[in-house]
Each structure stands twice: as C-alpha cells, then as structure tokens.
Amino acid sequence: MSTRELTCIGCPLGCSLSVTLENGEVTAVTGNTCPRGDAYARKEVTNPTRIVTSTVRVKDGVSPMVNVKTASDIPKDKIFDCAAALRDVIVTAPVTIGDVVLADVAGTGVDIVAAKNIAAC
Amino acid sequence: MKHYDLVIVGGGPAGLAAAVSARDNGIESILIIERDKELGGILNQCIHNGFGLHTFKEELTGPEYAARIVAQVLERGIEYKLNTMVMDISADKKITAMNREDGMFEVEATAVILAMGCRERSRGALNIPGYRPAGIFSAGTAQRLVNMEGYMPGREVVILGSGDIGLIMARRMTLEGAKVKVVAELMPYSGGLKRNIVQCLDDFNIPLKLSHTVIDIEGKNRVEAVTIAEVGPDRKPIPGTEERYTCDTLLLSCGLIPENELSKSAGVSLNPVTSGPVVNDSLETNIDGIFACGNVLHVHDLVDYVSQEASTAGKNAAAYIKNGSSKDAKIVEILPVDGVRYTVPKYVRPTEMDDTLTVRFRVGAVYKNCSIATYFDDELINRRKRPVMAPGEMEQVILDKKKLGEYPDLSKITIKIEENA
C-alpha cells in the first residue's frame, strides 16, 4: 500500500488530496470537497490529463487572435504536440464559441474549439 | 446634465454582474462605463480554464465566462459606453468621463458602483536595481500581448514573483515555444494558487525558487541577463547566493493593487491593508450611495467570488436608489487580529444586513493546523478548523443575522487565527 499527496487542479480551491494505492489500484481518495477532486485524483495517478488552452490567428476579424481550448482533457504527454499543431492554424472571422478550429488534435481524438466570439470586421 | 439612477465604473466581471443584479432588482436607468474596446475586462486575456465552477457549474475559459455575463447584460438592454475613460467622480456623484464621440462629458448618478478592478505592481514600485532595457514586462502586459494581440514578448524568460498571472504566463510562454528558466519569489511561500504551481510549473519542470529576488538586470537596449539571489528572513539578499540567468525577458508578477484614484477623488476612505475602500455589509463606502465590488475593493482569487460580491453590490445599490440611505442603523466593527490581515466588509449593521453575510479576508502568513475563530465581544461564537491557510488563498467567515440579533449590545466582532489544541 502506498499513498500519494496531490493538489487538485479542478478549480482554484486547490484541495490537498491523499490517494491510497494498492498494487497500482486506487483504493481511497481523501481531502476532496467535491466529486471532481475524486475523479482528478484517480486519473492523475493512472492517466494524467489536462485541458489545453491556447490562441490561434484570426483573418478578417475585429481581433487578431481567438482563444481556443481542447473540447475535453487530453493526455498530459500530448500537451506540446497540441501546442505545436496549433502554431500555424488560421481561422477566418466570424468565429463563434464552440466552432471546431482543428479536429482530432495530435491524434488524441479531441477537437480544438473556439472559446470566444470574434465578429468579422 | 444627463442623470442615471446608477452609474457603474468598469465593465469587467464586477461591473457587469452588478449591473445585471441592479436591473433584476428593478433599476431601469443604468450606465456602465468601460475604458477598453469591449466588455469583459481582464477575463478577455485570461484564456486559461477553471473559471465559473461555482457560478455556472462548469469549467470555462475567461472569455467564455465573460461572454456569458455580457450576454446577460445585452439581454437586459443595459446601456454601456466603450472606449470611455472616467476622469473624475465627485462626492455628490457627478461623473466626468471622455471618449472620442462625446468628447468630455458629465453625468449625474443617484448611486455609483466602483468596479475599476486592480493594477499590477510595476518595476518602479519594486525598486529593482540595474539597467532599464526593453524586455521587462508585467505578467499581465505579456498576457495581453500573447493572448489578445498575438505578439511574443521574448524567447528566454525569467519571472519575478509567483502571483497567479506569473504562473499562468510561465505555462503560456512555454507552450508558445519560449524557455522559462526560473520563477523567483521573494517570500518563503507562493503568492499564487496551489493548483497553478502544479499545472503551470510542475507540469513543465519550471523551477520555483522561494525566498529569492532579482538583484540585477543587465543589458542596455534589451535585457541580456538577470541575477537572482536568496534572501534572508529580513528579505535582504544574502551575499554569495547570486545566480545569473541569461535571458531576453523579465516578467513581473509581484502583486495587484486595487485601482482607486477615482475613489479617492470622490472622498472614499481606503483601507491601507487592501488599498480598497472601507465598506459596510451592503458594500457601501463612507460616501452615501457609492458602493464598491470586485478587485477594486480587494483582490480576489476567483471570479466567481467577484460575481457574487458584485451581485450583492448591485442589489444594495438598487435598495439605496429606491429607499435612500440606511446608514443610521447601528454599526458593529469587525476587527481582524492574530494573523487575519483585514476583512471585507469592515462594518456590519445587524438590523440591516441580509440573513447571512460572507466576510472575506486573507491571512498574513502560512498557517498549518489552525482554526478561524469568531468572537462576539469576548464570547467565542464559531471555531472552524483549517488544515492549511496561506496568504495566496482567500478565507471566509459567514455571519448569521439571527445569531447577531441575540446580541443587541454587541460592540465588536473579532476574527482571528488560533492554533489547534
């Protein structure tokens, strides 16, 4: 039996979590204040993932950039591949929250979606 | 002169939530004045996620959170002016502002809500020695350049200060291909949220050096290197601990200061600890009908708390507009002692307050295995265990109107940190 101490990143409360593992299996999570903390802890010790946020360039928009995010969390070791894949993406305004900017980023099966409305200029 | 029942200075999360709440409480004539080209305030450059878990029960990026409150403002048809800078607020609530269409103009208000937010501590305020080359940015300036304007401030970065924006920018610059060499923090603890240390520094193996500061900046035209050194308990550099980092950029994330120049011109009293207005339970300042909410009042960790606080300010401003001042009611002062640096609000009116009142504060150091204790005069009313408390994380105590009603002769409320027995 082993324990791992984590800080939950689910929200800015940053709960201190304690995860008990037996033969690589999670047997208990304590310290969380909500179910997200439990889910985060179980994932973090087995298959850590992150939501990645970034920006891409906008053509013909009222702003030169639009911020984007992965539609769901992706494996932590794919963060840099994801950032690299976004480097040359250019979208044309208008852009609406939820628009798919890049499908299946870095082979994760997860889409990159717009997270701001940008009107055409 | 044009008259509004309510003028709100600032169209960020605080101002917008206050406007929505005032409208929902029956105030028709509202004007929001915003100096940027769009509503939403600082949320527009905070592209990371984690906003809105309390308010919307989901994790949003800053611009998504802003878009939702902006939509509420637009649905209600609340009037706003963009690209408009407020120059002065007088104690009799005349607001002088200017923009390119109207030139300089004045409006008169029955009530004013201050929602101007805060500003970053600058290099000048930090007294960092060394040359003054290009390449020194506040973390928030860098954030705006990268996220909204599409410019990279530099390629090799040192960050001074571990405030949340600095931590967030350490990750952001790394993802955009820069090398963040080190984050130096003067204090023995981080000023940022724990979750940001985990997901912005630890995830990318960026070292955080606590009790370190920048003692020299090199480079005449552009930053070429900075030297950091360890500091002792007196926060003075310890000779022999210097480390030199070559870099082209220095980001500063050394604290936020509520932006209260306008409040001062209106005669609003400020708390020297928060640099924000002193307010009562309705978030009203010492000037009748001038309310404050959000980061202009005190710097918050979570926009969700700003939204809640601003809703309260909007509701109370609406009550003031309809019923006039209720300041003559009995006032009880909340005293922050033994580790509690300040409280917002500072005054409570037991007969006028809502059924419950959330009192927010920060502690002055890192406390482990301690409790937050609330006293009505000398009587212990509540003691709540907190395994860990740190200055970077806001704490709260909830006061109950019924309970306060049981103490008609109450002269003071004390909130303090006590060690667990």
Coordinates of all heavy atoms in Angstrom, one line a residue, chain A residues 6-16 34 36 40 44 49-57 62-69 76 79-80 83-84 87 97-98 113-118, chain B residues 37-38 44 46-50 53-54 57-64 67 145-151 171-172 174-177 193-196 198-199 202-204 301-302 305 388 393:
Chain A
L6 N -1.5 14.9 -3.6 CA -1.7 15.7 -4.8 C -2.4 17.0 -4.4 O -3.1 17.1 -3.4 CB -2.6 15.0 -5.8 CG -2.2 13.6 -6.3 CD1 -3.3 13.0 -7.1 CD2 -0.9 13.8 -7.2
T7 N -2.3 18.0 -5.3 CA -3.1 19.2 -5.2 C -4.1 19.2 -6.3 O -3.7 19.1 -7.5 CB -2.3 20.5 -5.3 OG1 -1.3 20.5 -4.2 CG2 -3.1 21.7 -5.2
C8 N -5.4 19.2 -6.0 CA -6.4 19.1 -7.0 C -6.3 20.4 -7.9 O -6.2 21.5 -7.4 CB -7.8 19.0 -6.4 SG -9.1 18.9 -7.7
I9 N -6.4 20.2 -9.2 CA -6.4 21.4 -10.1 C -7.8 21.6 -10.7 O -7.9 22.4 -11.7 CB -5.3 21.2 -11.2 CG1 -5.7 20.0 -12.1 CG2 -4.0 21.1 -10.6 CD1 -4.8 19.9 -13.3
G10 N -8.8 21.0 -10.2 CA -10.1 21.1 -10.8 C -10.7 22.5 -10.7 O -11.4 23.0 -11.6
C11 N -10.3 23.2 -9.6 CA -10.8 24.6 -9.5 C -9.8 25.3 -8.6 O -8.9 24.7 -8.0 CB -12.2 24.7 -9.0 SG -12.4 24.7 -7.2
P12 N -10.0 26.7 -8.5 CA -9.0 27.4 -7.7 C -8.9 27.1 -6.2 O -8.0 27.6 -5.5 CB -9.3 28.9 -8.0 CG -10.1 28.9 -9.3 CD -10.8 27.6 -9.3
L13 N -9.8 26.3 -5.7 CA -9.8 26.0 -4.3 C -8.5 25.2 -4.0 O -7.9 25.3 -2.9 CB -11.0 25.1 -3.9 CG -12.3 25.9 -3.7 CD1 -13.4 24.9 -3.3 CD2 -12.2 27.0 -2.7
G14 N -8.0 24.3 -5.0 CA -6.8 23.6 -4.8 C -6.8 22.7 -3.6 O -5.8 22.8 -2.8
C15 N -7.7 21.8 -3.5 CA -7.8 20.9 -2.3 C -6.6 20.0 -2.3 O -6.1 19.6 -3.3 CB -9.0 20.0 -2.4 SG -10.6 20.9 -2.3
S16 N -6.1 19.7 -1.0 CA -5.0 18.8 -0.9 C -5.6 17.4 -0.8 O -6.4 17.1 0.1 CB -4.2 19.1 0.4 OG -3.7 20.4 0.4
C34 N -15.3 17.9 -3.5 CA -16.4 17.7 -4.5 C -16.0 16.4 -5.3 O -14.9 16.0 -5.3 CB -16.6 18.9 -5.4 SG -15.4 19.1 -6.7
R36 N -15.4 16.1 -8.4 CA -14.3 16.4 -9.3 C -12.9 16.0 -8.8 O -12.0 15.6 -9.5 CB -14.3 17.8 -9.7 CG -15.4 18.2 -10.7 CD -15.5 19.8 -10.8 NE -16.7 20.2 -11.3 CZ -17.0 20.4 -12.6 NH1 -16.0 20.2 -13.5 NH2 -18.2 20.7 -13.0
Y40 N -10.3 13.5 -10.4 CA -9.0 14.0 -10.7 C -7.9 13.2 -10.1 O -7.0 12.7 -10.8 CB -8.8 15.5 -10.2 CG -7.4 16.0 -10.3 CD1 -6.8 16.3 -11.6 CD2 -6.6 16.1 -9.2 CE1 -5.5 16.7 -11.7 CE2 -5.3 16.4 -9.3 CZ -4.7 16.8 -10.5 OH -3.4 17.2 -10.6
E44 N -5.1 11.2 -12.1 CA -3.8 11.8 -12.0 C -2.7 10.7 -11.7 O -1.6 10.8 -12.2 CB -3.7 12.9 -11.0 CG -2.5 13.7 -10.9 CD -2.2 14.6 -12.2 OE1 -3.1 14.6 -13.1 OE2 -1.1 15.1 -12.3
T49 N -4.3 13.8 -17.3 CA -4.7 14.6 -18.5 C -4.9 16.0 -18.1 O -4.9 16.4 -16.9 CB -6.1 14.0 -18.9 OG1 -7.0 14.2 -17.9 CG2 -6.0 12.6 -19.4
R50 N -4.9 16.9 -19.1 CA -5.1 18.3 -19.0 C -6.0 18.9 -20.1 O -5.9 18.4 -21.2 CB -3.7 19.0 -19.1 CG -2.7 18.7 -18.0 CD -3.1 19.3 -16.6 NE -2.1 19.0 -15.6 CZ -2.1 18.0 -14.8 NH1 -3.1 17.1 -14.9 NH2 -1.1 17.8 -13.9
I51 N -6.7 19.9 -19.7 CA -7.3 20.7 -20.8 C -6.2 21.7 -21.2 O -5.5 22.2 -20.4 CB -8.5 21.6 -20.2 CG1 -9.6 20.7 -19.6 CG2 -9.0 22.7 -21.2 CD1 -10.7 20.4 -20.6
V52 N -6.0 21.8 -22.5 CA -5.0 22.7 -23.0 C -5.7 24.0 -23.6 O -6.7 23.8 -24.4 CB -4.1 22.1 -24.1 CG1 -3.1 23.1 -24.7 CG2 -3.4 20.9 -23.5
T53 N -5.3 25.1 -23.3 CA -5.8 26.4 -23.9 C -4.7 27.1 -24.6 O -3.6 27.1 -24.2 CB -6.4 27.3 -22.8 OG1 -5.4 27.7 -21.9 CG2 -7.6 26.6 -22.0
S54 N -5.1 27.7 -25.7 CA -4.1 28.5 -26.5 C -4.8 29.5 -27.3 O -6.0 29.8 -27.1 CB -3.2 27.5 -27.3 OG -2.1 28.3 -27.9
T55 N -4.1 30.1 -28.3 CA -4.7 31.0 -29.2 C -4.3 30.7 -30.6 O -3.3 30.0 -30.8 CB -4.2 32.5 -28.9 OG1 -2.8 32.5 -29.0 CG2 -4.7 33.0 -27.6
V56 N -5.2 31.1 -31.6 CA -4.8 31.0 -33.0 C -5.1 32.3 -33.7 O -5.9 33.1 -33.1 CB -5.5 29.8 -33.7 CG1 -5.2 28.5 -33.1 CG2 -7.0 30.0 -33.7
R57 N -4.5 32.5 -34.8 CA -4.7 33.8 -35.5 C -6.1 33.8 -36.2 O -6.6 32.8 -36.6 CB -3.6 34.0 -36.5 CG -2.3 34.2 -35.9 CD -1.2 34.8 -36.7 NE 0.0 34.8 -35.8 CZ 0.3 35.9 -35.0 NH1 -0.6 36.9 -35.0 NH2 1.3 35.9 -34.2
V62 N -12.4 41.3 -35.9 CA -12.2 42.6 -35.1 C -11.0 42.4 -34.1 O -10.5 43.4 -33.6 CB -13.5 43.0 -34.3 CG1 -14.6 43.4 -35.2 CG2 -14.0 41.9 -33.4
S63 N -10.6 41.2 -33.9 CA -9.4 40.9 -33.1 C -8.5 40.0 -33.8 O -8.9 39.2 -34.6 CB -9.8 40.2 -31.7 OG -10.6 41.1 -31.0
P64 N -7.2 40.2 -33.7 CA -6.2 39.4 -34.4 C -6.1 38.0 -33.9 O -5.5 37.1 -34.6 CB -4.9 40.2 -34.3 CG -5.0 40.9 -33.0 CD -6.5 41.2 -32.9
M65 N -6.6 37.7 -32.7 CA -6.4 36.4 -32.1 C -7.7 35.9 -31.6 O -8.6 36.7 -31.2 CB -5.4 36.4 -30.9 CG -4.1 37.0 -31.2 SD -3.1 36.2 -32.4 CE -2.6 34.7 -31.6
V66 N -7.9 34.6 -31.5 CA -9.0 34.0 -30.8 C -8.5 32.9 -29.9 O -7.6 32.2 -30.3 CB -10.1 33.4 -31.8 CG1 -9.6 32.3 -32.7 CG2 -11.3 32.9 -31.0
N67 N -9.0 32.9 -28.7 CA -8.5 31.8 -27.8 C -9.3 30.5 -28.0 O -10.5 30.6 -28.4 CB -8.6 32.3 -26.3 CG -10.0 32.5 -25.8 OD1 -10.6 33.4 -26.3 ND2 -10.4 31.7 -24.9
V68 N -8.6 29.4 -27.8 CA -9.2 28.1 -28.1 C -8.9 27.1 -27.0 O -8.0 27.4 -26.2 CB -8.6 27.5 -29.5 CG1 -8.9 28.4 -30.6 CG2 -7.1 27.3 -29.4
K69 N -9.6 26.0 -27.0 CA -9.3 25.0 -25.9 C -9.6 23.6 -26.5 O -10.3 23.5 -27.5 CB -10.1 25.3 -24.7 CG -11.6 25.1 -24.8 CD -12.3 25.3 -23.5 CE -13.8 25.0 -23.6 NZ -14.5 25.3 -22.3
K76 N -1.5 14.2 -20.7 CA -0.5 15.2 -20.3 C 0.7 15.2 -21.3 O 1.2 16.3 -21.6 CB 0.0 15.0 -18.9 CG 0.3 16.2 -18.1 CD 0.6 15.8 -16.7 CE 1.9 16.2 -16.2 NZ 2.2 15.9 -14.8
I79 N 0.6 17.5 -24.5 CA 0.4 19.0 -24.4 C 1.2 19.7 -25.5 O 0.8 20.6 -26.2 CB 0.7 19.5 -23.0 CG1 -0.3 19.0 -22.0 CG2 0.8 21.0 -23.0 CD1 0.1 19.4 -20.6
F80 N 2.5 19.3 -25.6 CA 3.4 20.0 -26.5 C 3.0 19.8 -28.0 O 3.1 20.6 -28.8 CB 4.9 19.7 -26.3 CG 5.4 20.5 -25.1 CD1 5.6 20.0 -23.9 CD2 5.7 21.9 -25.3 CE1 6.1 20.7 -22.8 CE2 6.2 22.6 -24.3 CZ 6.4 22.1 -23.0
A83 N 0.2 22.0 -28.7 CA 0.6 23.4 -28.9 C 1.2 23.6 -30.3 O 1.0 24.6 -31.0 CB 1.5 23.8 -27.8
A84 N 2.1 22.6 -30.7 CA 2.8 22.7 -32.0 C 1.8 22.6 -33.1 O 1.9 23.4 -34.1 CB 3.8 21.5 -32.1
R87 N 0.1 26.0 -34.0 CA 1.0 27.1 -34.3 C 0.6 27.8 -35.7 O 0.7 29.0 -35.8 CB 2.5 26.7 -34.3 CG 3.4 27.8 -33.8 CD 4.6 27.3 -33.0 NE 4.2 27.0 -31.7 CZ 4.9 26.1 -30.9 NH1 6.0 25.6 -31.3 NH2 4.5 25.9 -29.7
I97 N -18.1 30.8 -30.3 CA -17.7 29.9 -29.2 C -18.2 28.5 -29.6 O -19.4 28.3 -29.9 CB -18.3 30.3 -27.9 CG1 -17.6 31.6 -27.4 CG2 -18.2 29.2 -26.8 CD1 -18.1 32.2 -26.1
G98 N -17.3 27.5 -29.5 CA -17.7 26.1 -29.8 C -17.3 25.7 -31.3 O -17.3 24.5 -31.6
V113 N -11.6 23.7 -30.0 CA -12.8 24.6 -30.2 C -12.5 26.0 -29.8 O -11.7 26.3 -28.9 CB -14.0 24.0 -29.5 CG1 -14.5 22.7 -30.0 CG2 -13.8 24.0 -28.0
A114 N -13.2 26.9 -30.5 CA -13.0 28.3 -30.2 C -13.7 28.6 -28.8 O -14.7 28.0 -28.5 CB -13.7 29.2 -31.3
A115 N -13.1 29.6 -28.1 CA -13.7 29.9 -26.8 C -14.0 31.4 -26.6 O -14.0 31.9 -25.6 CB -12.7 29.4 -25.7
K116 N -14.1 32.0 -27.8 CA -14.5 33.5 -27.8 C -15.2 33.8 -29.1 O -14.9 33.1 -30.1 CB -13.3 34.4 -27.6 CG -13.7 35.8 -27.4 CD -12.5 36.7 -27.1 CE -13.1 38.1 -26.8 NZ -12.1 39.1 -26.5
N117 N -16.2 34.6 -29.0 CA -16.9 35.1 -30.3 C -16.0 36.2 -30.9 O -15.7 37.2 -30.2 CB -18.3 35.6 -30.0 CG -19.1 34.5 -29.3 OD1 -19.1 33.3 -29.7 ND2 -20.0 34.9 -28.4
I118 N -15.7 36.1 -32.1 CA -15.0 37.2 -32.8 C -15.8 37.6 -34.0 O -16.0 36.7 -34.9 CB -13.5 36.8 -33.2 CG1 -12.7 36.2 -32.1 CG2 -12.8 37.9 -34.0 CD1 -12.2 37.2 -31.1
Chain B
K37 N -12.1 48.4 -25.4 CA -12.9 48.4 -26.6 C -14.0 47.4 -26.5 O -14.9 47.2 -27.5 CB -12.1 48.2 -27.9 CG -11.4 46.9 -27.9 CD -10.6 46.6 -29.2 CE -10.0 45.2 -29.1 NZ -9.3 44.8 -30.2
E38 N -14.0 46.5 -25.5 CA -15.1 45.5 -25.3 C -15.4 45.3 -23.9 O -14.5 45.7 -23.0 CB -14.7 44.2 -26.0 CG -13.4 43.6 -25.4 CD -13.0 42.3 -26.2 OE1 -13.8 41.7 -26.8 OE2 -11.8 42.0 -26.1
N44 N -11.0 38.8 -20.6 CA -10.7 38.6 -22.1 C -9.3 38.2 -22.4 O -9.0 37.6 -23.4 CB -11.0 39.9 -22.8 CG -12.5 40.1 -22.9 OD1 -13.2 39.2 -23.2 ND2 -12.9 41.4 -22.7
C46 N -7.6 36.3 -20.0 CA -7.3 35.1 -19.2 C -7.8 33.9 -19.9 O -9.0 33.4 -19.6 CB -8.0 35.3 -17.8 SG -7.3 36.7 -16.9
I47 N -7.1 33.4 -20.9 CA -7.6 32.3 -21.8 C -7.5 30.9 -21.1 O -8.0 30.0 -21.7 CB -6.9 32.3 -23.1 CG1 -5.4 31.9 -22.9 CG2 -7.0 33.7 -23.8 CD1 -4.8 31.4 -24.2
H48 N -6.9 30.8 -20.0 CA -6.8 29.5 -19.3 C -8.2 29.1 -18.8 O -9.1 30.0 -18.7 CB -5.8 29.6 -18.1 CG -6.0 30.7 -17.2 ND1 -5.6 32.0 -17.5 CD2 -6.5 30.8 -16.0 CE1 -5.8 32.8 -16.6 NE2 -6.4 32.2 -15.6
N49 N -8.4 27.9 -18.4 CA -9.7 27.5 -18.0 C -9.7 27.3 -16.4 O -8.7 27.4 -15.8 CB -10.1 26.2 -18.7 CG -9.4 25.0 -18.1 OD1 -8.2 25.1 -17.9 ND2 -10.1 23.9 -17.9
G50 N -10.9 27.1 -15.9 CA -11.1 26.9 -14.5 C -12.0 28.0 -13.9 O -12.2 28.1 -12.7
L53 N -16.7 27.5 -12.0 CA -17.2 26.3 -11.4 C -18.3 26.6 -10.4 O -19.3 25.8 -10.3 CB -16.1 25.6 -10.7 CG -15.4 24.5 -11.5 CD1 -14.3 23.9 -10.7 CD2 -16.4 23.4 -11.9
H54 N -18.2 27.7 -9.7 CA -19.3 28.0 -8.7 C -20.5 28.6 -9.4 O -21.6 28.3 -9.1 CB -18.8 28.9 -7.6 CG -17.6 28.4 -6.8 ND1 -17.8 27.9 -5.5 CD2 -16.4 28.1 -7.1 CE1 -16.7 27.5 -5.1 NE2 -15.8 27.6 -6.0
K57 N -21.3 26.1 -12.8 CA -21.1 24.7 -12.6 C -20.3 24.0 -13.7 O -20.6 22.8 -14.0 CB -22.4 23.9 -12.4 CG -23.3 24.6 -11.3 CD -22.8 24.5 -9.9 CE -23.6 25.3 -8.9 NZ -22.8 25.9 -7.9
E58 N -19.5 24.7 -14.4 CA -18.6 24.1 -15.4 C -17.3 24.9 -15.5 O -17.3 26.0 -15.0 CB -19.3 23.9 -16.7 CG -19.8 25.2 -17.3 CD -20.5 25.0 -18.7 OE1 -19.9 24.4 -19.6 OE2 -21.7 25.4 -18.8
E59 N -16.3 24.3 -16.1 CA -15.0 25.0 -16.2 C -15.0 25.7 -17.5 O -15.0 25.1 -18.6 CB -13.9 23.9 -16.2 CG -13.4 23.5 -14.8 CD -12.2 22.7 -14.9 OE1 -11.2 23.2 -15.4 OE2 -12.3 21.5 -14.6
L60 N -14.8 27.0 -17.4 CA -14.8 27.9 -18.6 C -13.5 28.6 -18.7 O -12.8 28.8 -17.7 CB -15.9 28.9 -18.5 CG -17.3 28.4 -18.4 CD1 -18.3 29.5 -18.1 CD2 -17.8 27.6 -19.6
T61 N -13.1 29.0 -19.9 CA -12.0 30.0 -20.0 C -12.5 31.4 -19.7 O -13.8 31.6 -19.6 CB -11.5 30.0 -21.5 OG1 -12.5 30.5 -22.3 CG2 -11.1 28.6 -22.0
G62 N -11.6 32.3 -19.4 CA -12.0 33.6 -19.1 C -13.0 34.3 -20.1 O -14.0 34.8 -19.7
P63 N -12.6 34.2 -21.4 CA -13.5 34.9 -22.4 C -14.9 34.2 -22.4 O -15.9 34.9 -22.7 CB -12.8 34.7 -23.7 CG -11.3 34.6 -23.3 CD -11.3 33.9 -22.0
E64 N -15.0 32.9 -22.2 CA -16.3 32.2 -22.2 C -17.1 32.7 -21.0 O -18.3 33.0 -21.1 CB -16.1 30.7 -22.1 CG -15.6 30.1 -23.4 CD -15.3 28.6 -23.2 OE1 -14.4 28.3 -22.3 OE2 -15.9 27.8 -23.9
A67 N -18.3 36.1 -21.8 CA -19.3 36.1 -22.8 C -20.7 35.8 -22.2 O -21.7 36.4 -22.6 CB -19.0 35.1 -23.9
L145 N -0.4 40.8 -24.6 CA 0.3 40.8 -25.9 C 0.2 39.4 -26.5 O -0.1 39.3 -27.7 CB 1.8 41.1 -25.6 CG 2.1 42.6 -25.3 CD1 3.6 42.7 -24.9 CD2 1.9 43.5 -26.5
V146 N 0.4 38.4 -25.7 CA 0.4 37.0 -26.3 C -1.0 36.6 -26.7 O -1.3 36.1 -27.8 CB 1.0 36.0 -25.3 CG1 0.9 34.6 -25.9 CG2 2.4 36.3 -25.0
N147 N -2.0 36.8 -25.8 CA -3.3 36.2 -25.9 C -4.3 37.0 -26.8 O -5.2 36.5 -27.4 CB -3.9 35.9 -24.6 CG -3.2 34.9 -23.8 OD1 -2.4 34.1 -24.3 ND2 -3.5 34.8 -22.5
M148 N -4.1 38.3 -26.8 CA -5.1 39.2 -27.5 C -4.5 39.8 -28.7 O -5.2 40.0 -29.7 CB -5.6 40.2 -26.5 CG -6.5 39.6 -25.4 SD -7.2 40.8 -24.3 CE -8.5 41.5 -25.3
E149 N -3.2 40.2 -28.6 CA -2.6 40.9 -29.7 C -1.7 40.1 -30.6 O -1.4 40.5 -31.7 CB -1.9 42.2 -29.2 CG -2.9 43.1 -28.5 CD -2.4 44.3 -27.9 OE1 -1.3 44.7 -28.2 OE2 -3.1 44.9 -27.0
G150 N -1.3 38.9 -30.1 CA -0.6 38.0 -30.9 C 0.9 38.3 -31.1 O 1.5 37.9 -32.1
Y151 N 1.5 38.9 -30.1 CA 2.9 39.1 -30.1 C 3.6 38.3 -29.0 O 3.0 38.1 -27.9 CB 3.2 40.6 -29.8 CG 2.7 41.5 -30.8 CD1 1.6 42.3 -30.6 CD2 3.4 41.6 -32.1 CE1 1.1 43.2 -31.5 CE2 2.9 42.5 -33.0 CZ 1.8 43.3 -32.7 OH 1.3 44.2 -33.7
R171 N 3.5 29.0 -18.0 CA 3.0 27.9 -18.8 C 2.7 28.5 -20.3 O 3.1 27.8 -21.2 CB 1.7 27.4 -18.2 CG 1.0 26.4 -19.1 CD -0.2 25.7 -18.5 NE -1.2 26.7 -18.2 CZ -2.4 26.5 -17.6 NH1 -2.6 25.2 -17.1 NH2 -3.2 27.4 -17.3
R172 N 2.1 29.6 -20.3 CA 1.7 30.1 -21.6 C 2.9 30.4 -22.5 O 2.9 30.0 -23.7 CB 0.9 31.4 -21.4 CG 0.3 32.0 -22.6 CD -0.9 31.3 -23.0 NE -1.3 31.7 -24.4 CZ -1.2 31.0 -25.5 NH1 -0.8 29.7 -25.4 NH2 -1.6 31.4 -26.6
T174 N 5.8 29.0 -22.3 CA 6.4 27.7 -22.6 C 5.7 27.0 -23.8 O 6.3 26.5 -24.7 CB 6.3 26.8 -21.3 OG1 7.0 27.4 -20.3 CG2 7.0 25.4 -21.6
L175 N 4.3 27.1 -23.7 CA 3.6 26.5 -24.8 C 3.8 27.2 -26.1 O 3.7 26.6 -27.2 CB 2.1 26.5 -24.5 CG 1.6 25.5 -23.5 CD1 0.1 25.6 -23.3 CD2 2.0 24.0 -23.9
E176 N 4.1 28.5 -26.1 CA 4.4 29.2 -27.3 C 5.8 29.2 -27.7 O 6.3 29.9 -28.6 CB 3.9 30.7 -27.1 CG 2.4 30.9 -27.1 CD 1.7 30.5 -28.4 OE1 2.3 30.6 -29.5 OE2 0.5 30.1 -28.3
G177 N 6.6 28.3 -27.1 CA 7.9 28.0 -27.5 C 9.0 28.7 -26.8 O 10.2 28.6 -27.2
L193 N -2.1 30.5 -6.5 CA -2.9 29.3 -6.0 C -2.1 28.0 -6.2 O -1.3 27.9 -7.2 CB -4.2 29.2 -6.9 CG -5.2 30.4 -6.7 CD1 -6.2 30.3 -7.8 CD2 -5.8 30.3 -5.4
K194 N -2.3 27.1 -5.3 CA -1.5 25.8 -5.4 C -1.7 25.1 -6.7 O -0.8 24.6 -7.3 CB -2.0 24.9 -4.3 CG -1.4 25.2 -2.9 CD -2.0 24.3 -1.8 CE -3.5 24.6 -1.6 NZ -4.1 23.9 -0.5
R195 N -3.0 25.2 -7.2 CA -3.3 24.4 -8.5 C -2.4 25.0 -9.6 O -2.1 24.3 -10.5 CB -4.7 24.5 -8.8 CG -5.2 25.9 -9.3 CD -6.7 26.0 -9.4 NE -7.3 25.3 -10.4 CZ -7.8 25.8 -11.5 NH1 -7.7 27.1 -11.8 NH2 -8.4 25.0 -12.4
N196 N -2.1 26.3 -9.5 CA -1.3 26.9 -10.6 C 0.2 26.5 -10.5 O 0.8 26.4 -11.5 CB -1.5 28.4 -10.6 CG -2.8 28.8 -11.2 OD1 -3.4 28.0 -12.0 ND2 -3.3 30.0 -10.8
V198 N 1.1 23.5 -9.5 CA 1.1 22.2 -10.1 C 1.0 22.2 -11.6 O 1.8 21.6 -12.3 CB -0.2 21.4 -9.5 CG1 -0.3 20.0 -10.2 CG2 0.0 21.2 -8.0
Q199 N 0.0 22.9 -12.1 CA -0.3 22.7 -13.6 C 0.5 23.7 -14.5 O 0.5 23.5 -15.7 CB -1.8 22.8 -13.9 CG -2.4 24.1 -13.5 CD -3.9 24.1 -13.7 OE1 -4.4 23.2 -14.3 NE2 -4.6 25.2 -13.3
D202 N 5.1 22.7 -12.2 CA 5.5 21.3 -12.0 C 5.3 20.5 -13.3 O 6.2 19.8 -13.7 CB 4.7 20.7 -10.9 CG 4.9 21.3 -9.5 OD1 5.8 22.2 -9.5 OD2 4.2 21.0 -8.6
D203 N 4.2 20.8 -14.0 CA 3.9 20.1 -15.3 C 5.0 20.3 -16.3 O 5.3 19.4 -17.2 CB 2.6 20.5 -15.9 CG 1.4 19.8 -15.4 OD1 1.6 19.0 -14.4 OD2 0.3 20.0 -15.9
F204 N 5.7 21.4 -16.2 CA 6.7 21.8 -17.2 C 8.1 21.8 -16.7 O 9.0 22.4 -17.3 CB 6.3 23.1 -17.9 CG 5.0 23.1 -18.5 CD1 3.9 23.5 -17.9 CD2 4.8 22.5 -19.8 CE1 2.6 23.5 -18.5 CE2 3.6 22.4 -20.4 CZ 2.5 22.9 -19.8
D301 N -9.3 35.8 -5.5 CA -8.7 34.7 -6.2 C -9.6 34.2 -7.3 O -9.1 33.7 -8.3 CB -8.6 33.5 -5.2 CG -7.9 33.8 -4.0 OD1 -7.1 34.7 -4.0 OD2 -8.1 33.1 -3.0
L302 N -10.9 34.2 -7.1 CA -11.9 33.6 -8.0 C -12.8 34.6 -8.5 O -13.4 35.4 -7.8 CB -12.7 32.6 -7.3 CG -12.2 31.1 -7.2 CD1 -11.0 31.0 -6.3 CD2 -13.3 30.2 -6.8
Y305 N -16.3 34.6 -7.0 CA -16.5 35.4 -5.8 C -16.8 36.8 -6.1 O -17.6 37.5 -5.5 CB -15.3 35.3 -4.8 CG -15.0 33.9 -4.2 CD1 -13.8 33.6 -3.6 CD2 -16.0 32.9 -4.2 CE1 -13.5 32.4 -3.1 CE2 -15.7 31.7 -3.6 CZ -14.5 31.4 -3.1 OH -14.2 30.2 -2.5
V388 N -4.7 24.0 6.3 CA -3.7 24.9 5.7 C -4.3 26.2 5.3 O -5.4 26.2 4.7 CB -3.0 24.3 4.4 CG1 -1.8 25.2 4.0 CG2 -2.5 22.9 4.7
E393 N -4.5 32.5 -0.7 CA -5.9 31.9 -0.8 C -6.8 32.7 0.2 O -6.6 32.7 1.4 CB -5.8 30.4 -0.5 CG -4.6 29.8 -1.1 CD -4.8 28.6 -1.9 OE1 -5.9 28.1 -1.9 OE2 -3.9 28.2 -2.7

